[in-house]
């Protein structure tokens, strides 16, 4: 079966749904609209109006595309229901009736565990694909869900199509891996790709969305529709496989997929076969994502131009600290960060300027609003020469805190609400297996000693990084066997901490994935309380891997000669 993706996040390319429906044959079109931050946003929407809480963009896309999907026999499966999947299903039915389209609509619910976590704004269990499969087996044309795992949008339809049961661990694991590759949309087709400089800008201008051709044994071919931009190769698929994962065992509610067993093969232009994935019984617990309102935050960025940048930063910092103390409303948390974006003898004022960023947090709004505004702006005529800010601080905005909890799967009422309104309870996995980390596999034979060259790590290795709550993961991979032989021994946890000083005092765990010629690092707590708390300059760690690639190391000279990138083509 052919499963396509038309959304990797709430706010992705609006016309992707139409493009995918008109671009080639599909059996199912999925849309992933949810993330940790999205659930917080939807939670705040629901506070304003209990009838909200779902991704409204999805409805607008369906208004253009529902008839087209029906004509072409394409099922639509999306987690756009967010915190209100029943409400979205009703809205889709109303839309279908208004358009005169006889679409059968179903939804999946049971993930909302708010009553168990009364202090949380949102509390949602990550459900698997079994509810989606039940809806499709009952004849649904459109299935909307709340918080299912991203990969469930693919494993559910595959299970329904091929008749897999909960014990078909290897097949389900193969579909979960395919779903993980598809879930972030164009990240599988050249978007955000480390080695983008080897491709033309025209090729990268508008990447097409990915398609998985899934086979009955669980293997798949990752591809894209003919004539679309971007590209699919072993590198783009490897990068997405490593994204926001950790070790060899990738646990989910349907199955635990063994990422260390996956093999990737370039089968042809824009075609990568994913095979050999082994599966194990899922864990006995389900993950629950919790979002809480953590308080209020504000920030101001001072621009320091020209000479004496450090002295200017020192003066304004002392002045603001003094003013905050005098106001008797000093914020609970005050954080300064100086970014030396300036350069000597700069040809423009912008390139002659550094940025001093002040971020404040407090449970109350006043200390981050009025207190900060007064402390910062009243200095305008009495501080360092050239004083100005990028924008004046506002009143202060609420921020969120994310954390994960776990509940026994048998205590969660996973329900498929079928097209006719029947409520179909979804049984939990019959067999489960407590999740344990695998031991480190044998490393490849090291490269023999030889001449080296001081060069960026990224000339040899690709990377992709992302967030999981307060932790970040950085997946690093090599494209040749020799580069892997060097990387596996060079990039130890100790070396990683040297190259990423922010991680020096944090817990860093390295996972080795030889089949992918990859290392995956999990950096505990580097993102504070999660993306919504905006604890660092890059709150989702999207650029962390690229920072690592930019660090200079002693690389075997032969590897650099082979892999040094060419200039970006026009």
């Amino acid at each position: 079966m052919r499963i396509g993706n038309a959304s990797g996040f709430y706010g992705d390319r609006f016309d992707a749904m139409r493009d995918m429906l008109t671009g080639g044959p599909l059996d199912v079109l999925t849309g992933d609209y949810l993330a940790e931050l999205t659930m917080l946003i939807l939670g705040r929407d629901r506070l304003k109006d209990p009838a909200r809480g779902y991704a409204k963009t999805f409805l607008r896309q369906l208004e253009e595309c529902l008839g087209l999907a029906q004509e072409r026999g394409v099922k639509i499966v999306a987690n756009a229901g967010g915190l209100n999947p029943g409400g979205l299903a009703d809205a889709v039915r109303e839309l279908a009736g208004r358009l005169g389209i006889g679409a059968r609509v179903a939804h999946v619910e049971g993930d909302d565990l708010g009553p168990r976590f009364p202090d949380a704004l949102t509390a949602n269990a990550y459900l698997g694909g079994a509810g989606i499969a039940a809806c499709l087996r009952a004849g649904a044309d459109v299935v909307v869900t709340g918080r299912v795992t991203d990969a469930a949008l693919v494993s559910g339809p595959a299970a329904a199509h091929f008749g897999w049961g909960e014990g078909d661990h290897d097949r389900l694991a193969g579909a979960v891996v395919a779903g993980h590759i598809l879930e972030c949309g164009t990240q599988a087709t050249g978007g955000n790709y480390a080695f983008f400089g080897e491709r033309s800008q025209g090729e990268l201008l508008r990447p097409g969305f990915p398609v998985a051709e899934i086979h009955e044994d669980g293997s798949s071919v990752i591809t894209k529709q003919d004539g679309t931009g971007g590209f699919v190769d072993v590198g783009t698929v490897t990068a997405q496989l490593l994204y926001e994962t950790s070790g060899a065992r990738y646990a989910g509610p349907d199955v635990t997929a063994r990422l260390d067993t996956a093999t990737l093969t370039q089968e042809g232009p824009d075609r990568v076969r994913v095979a050999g994935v082994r599966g194990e019984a899922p864990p006995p617990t389900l993950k629950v994502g919790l979002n809480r309102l953590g308080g209020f935050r504000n920030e101001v960025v001072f621009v320091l131009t020209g000479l004496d940048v450090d002295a200017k930063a020192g003066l304004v910092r002392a002045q603001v600290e003094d003013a905050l103390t005098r106001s008797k409303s000093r914020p609970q948390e005050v954080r300064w960060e100086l970014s030396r974006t300036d350069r000597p003898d700069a040809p423009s004022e912008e390139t002659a300027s550094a940025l001093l960023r002040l971020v404040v947090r407090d449970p109350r709004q006043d200390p981050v609003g009025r207190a900060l505004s007064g402390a910062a702006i009243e200095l305008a005529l009495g501080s360092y020469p050239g004083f100005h800010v990028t924008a004046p601080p506002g009143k202060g905005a609420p921020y969120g805190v994310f954390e994960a909890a776990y509940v026994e799967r048998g205590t969660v009422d996973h329900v498929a609400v079928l097209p006719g309104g029947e409520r179909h309870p979804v049984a939990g996995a019959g067999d489960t297996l407590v999740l344990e980390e695998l031991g480190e596999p044998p490393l490849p034979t090291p490269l023999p000693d030889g001449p080296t060259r001081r060069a960026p790590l990224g000339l040899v290795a690709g990377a992709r990084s992302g967030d999981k709550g307060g932790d970040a993961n950085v997946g690093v991979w090599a494209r040749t066997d020799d580069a892997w032989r060097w990387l596996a021994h060079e990039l130890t946890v100790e070396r990683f901490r040297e190259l990423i000083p922010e991680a020096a005092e944090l817990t860093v765990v390295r996972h080795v994935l030889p089949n992918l010629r990859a290392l995956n690092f999990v950096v505990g707590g580097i993102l504070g309380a999660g993306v919504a708390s905006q604890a660092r300059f890059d709150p989702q760690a999207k650029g962390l891997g690229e920072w690592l690639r930019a660090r200079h190391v002693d690389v075997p000279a032969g590897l650099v000669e082979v892999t040094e990138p060419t200039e970006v083509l026009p």
Side-chain angles (χ1 to χ4, degrees):
M1 69 180 307
R2 287 174 57 89
I3 301 181
N5 171 282
S7 176
F9 67 100
Y10 191 10
D12 209 343
R13 193 186 305 165
F14 183 85
D15 56 4
M17 184 179 290
R18 174 173 289 278
D19 288 347
M20 291 298 288
L21 288 170
T22 58
L26 291 174
D27 297 297
V28 175
L29 184 59
T30 67
D32 180 10
Y33 292 80
L34 301 184
E36 294 167 3
L37 181 60
T38 312
M39 298 300 278
L40 176 70
I41 294 169
L42 294 177
R44 292 174 62 185
D45 283 350
R46 188 173 60 176
L47 285 178
K48 300 173 186 175
D49 181 355
R52 292 165 65 178
Y54 56 77
K56 298 182 289 295
T57 301
F58 176 71
L59 266 182
R60 290 168 43 220
Q61 290 173 303
L62 277 190
E63 188 158 10
E64 294 185 6
C65 298
L66 183 58
L68 189 58
Q70 288 287 101
E71 291 170 10
R72 301 193 170 217
V74 180
K75 309 286 188 181
I76 294 179
V77 179
N79 61 13
L83 302 177
N84 188 7
L88 178 57
D90 288 341
V92 174
R93 291 188 189 96
E94 188 278 330
L95 172 66
R98 179 160 49 86
L99 297 176
I101 299 170
R104 293 162 292 183
V105 183
H107 74 275
V108 177
E109 61 183 41
D111 59 298
D112 190 347
L113 303 185
R116 297 197 209 179
F117 300 91
D119 295 333
L121 177 63
T122 68
N124 297 81
Y126 288 75
L127 303 179
I132 296 171
C135 292
L136 292 171
R137 286 172 179 145
D141 300 307
V142 179
V143 181
V144 295
T145 77
R147 180 71 277 188
V148 298
T149 64
D150 301 339
L153 300 175
V154 170
S155 64
H161 182 83
F162 292 114
W164 298 337
E166 62 185 23
D168 288 315
H169 294 147
D170 290 349
R171 292 177 171 86
L172 287 168
V176 163
V177 166
H180 178 61
I181 295 168
L182 259 59
E183 70 182 59
C184 289
T186 55
Q187 280 195 171
T189 58
N192 300 350
Y193 184 54
F195 298 107
F196 78 99
E198 298 174 2
R199 300 281 177 157
S200 71
Q201 290 183 7
E203 190 174 14
L204 298 171
L205 192 62
R206 189 178 170 86
F209 278 70
V211 174
E213 299 173 354
I214 300 182
H215 299 271
E216 195 278 336
D217 64 355
S219 65
S220 63
V221 172
I222 307 301
T223 184
K224 64 184 187 69
Q225 290 171 330
D226 292 342
T228 58
F231 60 99
V232 179
D233 65 16
V234 169
T236 65
V237 174
T238 298
Q240 183 55 29
L241 264 182
L242 296 173
Y243 182 64
E244 294 182 348
T245 61
S246 54
R249 285 189 164 110
Y250 183 54
D254 294 319
V255 68
T256 294
R258 289 284 298 272
L259 299 183
D260 59 330
T261 62
T263 61
L264 307 181
T265 307
Q266 193 77 42
E267 195 175 70
D270 297 320
R271 294 181 63 82
V272 174
R273 178 168 294 279
V274 184
V277 181
R278 298 282 304 280
E280 299 171 345
T285 57
L286 295 179
K287 179 180 175 181
V288 182
L290 305 175
N291 278 293
R292 295 185 172 90
L293 293 177
F296 296 85
R297 73 178 297 279
N298 207 346
E299 70 176 76
V300 59
V301 179
F302 300 91
V303 183
L304 315 172
T305 305
L307 305 177
D308 306 318
V309 165
D310 289 332
K312 289 172 179 174
L315 173 59
V316 73
R317 178 170 178 169
Q319 289 176 312
V320 171
E321 294 278 2
D322 178 66
L324 289 176
T325 301
R326 290 176 181 275
S327 74
K328 299 181 181 179
S329 296
R330 179 182 173 84
Q332 190 176 87
E333 181 183 344
V334 177
R335 179 175 175 177
W336 296 87
E337 186 172 353
L338 175 61
S339 299
R340 294 300 302 263
T341 52
D342 57 306
R343 66 186 70 171
D345 194 21
S348 68
E349 183 176 336
E350 187 170 355
T351 56
S353 300
L355 303 176
L356 178 64
R357 182 171 179 249
L358 167 61
V359 178
V360 296
R361 291 185 178 81
D362 197 274
R364 302 160 298 159
Q365 190 169 20
D366 269 1
V368 305
R370 295 177 185 173
L372 179 65
S373 297
I377 301 306
E378 289 173 5
L379 296 173
L381 302 180
S383 188
Y384 61 86
F387 180 100
H388 66 286
V389 297
T390 56
K395 296 179 180 180
Y399 71 89
V401 172
F402 177 87
E403 62 180 294
Y406 293 86
V407 298
E408 293 295 324
R409 63 172 54 242
T411 67
V412 176
D413 297 324
H414 187 175
V415 177
V417 183
L418 306 181
E422 305 91 342
R423 298 180 62 83
H424 175 77
V426 178
D431 57 336
T432 61
L433 185 65
V434 175
L435 190 67
E436 295 181 355
E437 291 290 347
L438 291 171
E440 183 171 295
L443 298 181
T445 304
L447 284 180
D449 292 338
T452 62
R453 173 180 163 188
R454 194 74 176 168
L457 175 65
L459 296 189
V460 176
R464 179 168 286 165
S465 55
D467 63 313
K468 278 295 181 186
D471 300 342
N473 100 284
V474 185
V476 186
W477 78 94
R479 297 194 289 180
T480 67
D481 289 338
D482 280 350
W484 168 238
R485 290 171 63 190
W486 172 77
L487 182 69
H489 294 275
E490 166 67 17
L491 197 54
T492 61
V493 168
E494 293 72 22
R495 196 80 178 95
F496 183 94
R497 285 196 174 110
E498 291 174 9
L499 297 173
I500 304 294
E502 276 187 77
E505 303 300 323
L506 300 176
T507 300
V508 178
V509 179
R510 182 179 98 149
H511 302 279
V512 181
L513 300 167
N515 270 19
L516 302 177
R517 294 192 294 237
L519 305 170
N520 216 347
F521 294 87
V522 179
V523 187
I526 193 171
L527 303 179
V531 55
S533 71
Q534 296 186 317
R536 67 190 295 272
F537 170 70
D538 175 16
Q540 289 182 284
K542 297 292 189 182
L544 191 58
E546 287 300 293
W547 178 24
L548 177 67
R549 294 182 69 234
R551 298 307 307 271
H552 286 221
V553 294
D554 294 323
V555 181
L559 296 181
V560 178
E561 291 167 4
V562 170
T563 61
E564 188 158 10
T566 57
E567 185 177 338
V568 177
L569 301 175

